[in-house]
Amino acid sequence: MKVLIVDDEPMIIEVLQAYLEKAGYAVISAANGYDALYLCKEEKPDFIVLDLMLPDLSGEEVCKRIREYSNVPIMMLTAKTAEEERIHGIVIGADDYVVKPFSPREVMVRIEAILRRTRKEVQGDLYSFNNGQLNINHVSHEVKVRDQIVSLTPIEYKLLVGMAKYPSRVYSRLDLLEKVQNESYEGYERSIDVHIKNLRKKIEVNSKEPEYILTVFGIGYKFGGKRDVSDSSI
């Protein structure tokens, strides 16, 4: 597994690299946004640790550009502690965030938890809903809506699959947070709303009148798609 660290502070790169390499990961690094974008395309890392404050492009801009073509998990490092800043990071495609100063051990735990989720084997190959309008391929982690591939972040994919397993089952925000984060993660529960909003934009014909990800007022969400009888088991 290969991890790309993007930070303009050599000490941070040095410390994280030492921890990652000790755990058996290959590490590459970049000190600015443009180098990070180049390495992401050329090296195809399995995980990116991305600082928000870079000397050229901002971390937010780097994240946006990567999300145009890749679902690689991204953890943001930030000195910003405001709730709005954390939510903004989630909106633009980050999978997790750590506030500076941070514990390298905590970063390692979060990286390994996210990688376990993204590489975990899922039973079944393909299943579909609404007469083939929505298809999910577990082998390629490919999602198609009306025969068009849509690009989901790892968290969006996890939410979709988790809810699609049990259509009509109602999930609270905490239920969904536990599905996409490891049990020890003290996540911001309302961040699920941001992921749901982004997921709806990608898979719904009209995100304001969804047919797949439905709101259950006062409780949370449920999946409203109708399973096609000819699909494989989830």
Side-chain angles (χ1 to χ4, degrees):
M1 303 292 286
K2 185 184 301 181
V3 178
L4 169 61
I5 304 173
V6 186
D7 202 300
D8 61 343
E9 297 183 43
M11 183 59 70
I12 287 180
I13 291 178
E14 182 179 338
V15 170
L16 290 179
Q17 182 171 352
Y19 272 80
L20 285 161
E21 289 181 343
K22 184 177 180 180
Y25 296 96
V27 178
I28 54 177
S29 62
N32 60 68
Y34 286 112
D35 285 351
L37 293 173
Y38 173 79
L39 288 174
C40 187
K41 285 192 173 182
E42 292 296 314
E43 298 288 339
K44 295 179 175 57
D46 301 289
F47 197 97
I48 298 176
V49 179
L50 175 63
D51 185 31
L52 288 184
M53 304 297 291
L54 297 172
D56 49 4
L57 297 176
S58 67
E60 289 97 334
E61 182 62 25
V62 173
C63 183
K64 287 179 183 177
R65 295 192 187 188
I66 291 173
R67 281 290 173 257
E68 291 175 359
Y69 63 88
S70 175
N71 287 335
V72 59
I74 297 175
M75 173 189 290
M76 288 186 168
L77 302 179
T78 176
K80 301 175 181 179
T81 59
E83 179 180 290
E84 292 79 9
E85 298 293 343
R86 300 199 302 271
I87 292 176
H88 180 62
I90 294 170
V91 168
I92 64 177
D95 298 281
D96 200 357
Y97 60 84
V98 175
V99 178
K100 293 181 178 180
F102 57 81
S103 161
R105 292 181 60 190
E106 178 188 4
V107 172
M108 286 298 303
V109 168
R110 293 189 182 215
I111 289 174
E112 292 176 345
I114 293 172
L115 287 174
R116 280 197 303 271
R117 292 196 303 272
T118 57
R119 67 191 178 207
K120 183 179 180 181
E121 292 184 0
V122 183
Q123 297 299 318
D125 296 329
L126 174 70
Y127 61 101
S128 63
F129 296 88
N130 293 18
N131 296 316
Q133 293 296 299
L134 173 66
N135 293 279
I136 304 173
N137 188 317
H138 287 310
V139 174
S140 62
H141 277 215
E142 188 176 84
V143 175
K144 287 186 178 181
V145 178
R146 297 177 297 281
D147 292 325
Q148 297 296 315
I149 296 176
V150 294
S151 179
L152 303 182
T153 68
I155 286 182
E156 290 164 359
Y157 181 85
K158 188 78 172 180
L159 284 172
L160 177 60
V161 171
M163 286 191 286
K165 283 185 177 182
Y166 305 102
S168 299
R169 175 178 172 179
V170 179
Y171 294 92
S172 69
R173 291 178 178 84
L174 184 58
D175 290 336
L176 295 175
L177 187 65
E178 291 175 347
K179 281 185 175 296
V180 299
Q181 304 287 7
N182 61 299
E183 294 180 358
S184 64
Y185 179 70
E186 296 181 358
Y188 180 54
E189 191 174 329
R190 286 283 175 174
S191 67
I192 288 297
D193 294 340
V194 178
H195 292 298
I196 292 294
K197 180 179 179 181
N198 291 337
L199 180 58
R200 280 174 171 165
K201 287 180 179 178
K202 296 176 180 181
I203 69 171
E204 304 283 3
V205 174
N206 181 352
S207 61
K208 294 184 179 180
E209 297 181 3
E211 56 182 316
Y212 297 114
I213 309 300
L214 308 180
T215 298
V216 181
F217 292 101
I219 302 177
Y221 300 97
K222 70 177 182 178
F223 186 81
K226 183 178 180 181
R227 180 89 61 81
D228 295 338
V229 295
S230 60
D231 69 358
S232 301
S233 171
I234 298 178

